[in-house]
């Protein structure tokens, strides 16, 4: 994309069933092992916090957040590669953190591929810390890849006023 960030309107709004085909395009562009339409439909049906990032009148990113029992879990966050390095992933993540806090979560967890250096960097900069590893969590071309488990304590970040 050659448009400067200031030349288009960027909006995050709740995901709708009608967004699923556009969300799938982002998912398939962003990941070698994308979620299916049925998984996104199930997330909507289950009442997870599902959001889309719009720019230039199209879906360019999405987020799925589950909240319950004082914890939140970022289940999926993706931005179309054509729209990387414009702050969309950071905006989606910060929206997730605000929603988690608003819904009573004290901690937010996520899994990330160690090979996804950009995502690991984003999460660390936003205050997430590694708390574990899930062995053989993700499919990979040569078998399975571990996942880093990361956690953010919202009580700490709220007091520091980071967001």
């Amino acid at each position: 994309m050659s448009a400067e960030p200031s030349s288009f309107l960027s909006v995050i709004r709740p995901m709708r069933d009608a967004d699923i085909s556009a969300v799938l395009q982002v998912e398939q562009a962003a990941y070698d092992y994308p979620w299916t339409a049925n998984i996104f439909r199930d997330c909507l049906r289950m009442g997870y916090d599902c959001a889309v990032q719009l720019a230039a009148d199209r879906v360019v990113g999405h987020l799925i957040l589950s909240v319950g029992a004082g914890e939140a879990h970022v289940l999926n966050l993706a931005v179309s590669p054509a729209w990387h390095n414009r702050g969309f992933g950071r905006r989606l993540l910060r929206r997730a953190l605000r929603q988690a806090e608003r819904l009573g979560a004290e901690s937010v967890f996520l899994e990330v591929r160690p090979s996804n250096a950009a995502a690991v960097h984003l999460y660390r900069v936003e205050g997430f810390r590694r708390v574990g590893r899930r062995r053989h969590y993700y499919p990979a071309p040569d078998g399975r890849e571990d996942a880093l488990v990361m956690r953010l304590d919202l009580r700490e970040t709220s007091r520091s006023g980071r967001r």
Side-chain angles (χ1 to χ4, degrees):
M1 292 281 124
S2 60
E4 290 299 313
S6 61
S7 67
F8 53 81
L9 178 63
S10 170
V11 175
I12 298 175
R13 66 158 170 78
M15 185 186 295
R16 303 184 279 245
D17 280 321
D19 295 321
I20 290 183
S21 64
V23 166
L24 278 177
Q25 289 178 1
V26 170
E27 183 79 0
Q28 291 165 354
Y31 296 124
D32 290 333
Y33 302 93
W35 281 15
T36 65
N38 284 338
I39 294 171
F40 286 106
R41 284 189 193 97
D42 286 346
C43 289
L44 285 169
R45 191 179 73 250
M46 294 298 296
Y48 292 163
D49 185 56
C50 305
V52 292
Q53 170 79 59
L54 304 173
D57 296 326
R58 73 181 75 130
V59 172
V60 299
H62 56 269
L63 163 78
I64 309 293
L65 178 74
S66 169
V67 182
E71 295 180 357
H73 198 129
V74 176
L75 300 174
N76 189 314
L77 191 159
V79 175
S80 174
W83 291 85
H84 281 184
N85 300 312
R86 296 174 187 241
F88 293 136
R90 184 177 313 278
R91 284 187 212 126
L92 284 165
L93 181 61
R94 286 182 177 176
R95 184 221 185 252
L97 300 179
R98 286 189 307 271
Q99 277 292 90
E101 194 166 34
R102 187 181 70 76
L103 295 171
E106 295 179 357
S107 298
V108 180
F109 290 88
L110 58 81
E111 288 86 18
V112 61
R113 290 177 185 266
S115 62
N116 189 343
V120 171
H121 176 74
L122 170 64
Y123 299 140
R124 284 193 173 135
V125 167
E126 290 299 314
F128 282 83
R129 298 293 169 250
R130 180 180 163 185
V131 294
R133 180 178 286 266
R134 295 190 197 278
R135 306 233 354 115
H136 310 295
Y137 187 77
Y138 291 110
D142 58 351
R144 307 290 294 182
E145 181 177 358
D146 291 354
L148 299 179
V149 179
M150 301 184 84
R151 176 182 177 266
L152 177 89
D153 186 332
L154 290 172
R155 297 167 297 180
E156 290 176 11
T157 57
S158 293
R159 277 186 262 126
S160 69
R162 273 176 73 315
R163 290 188 312 279

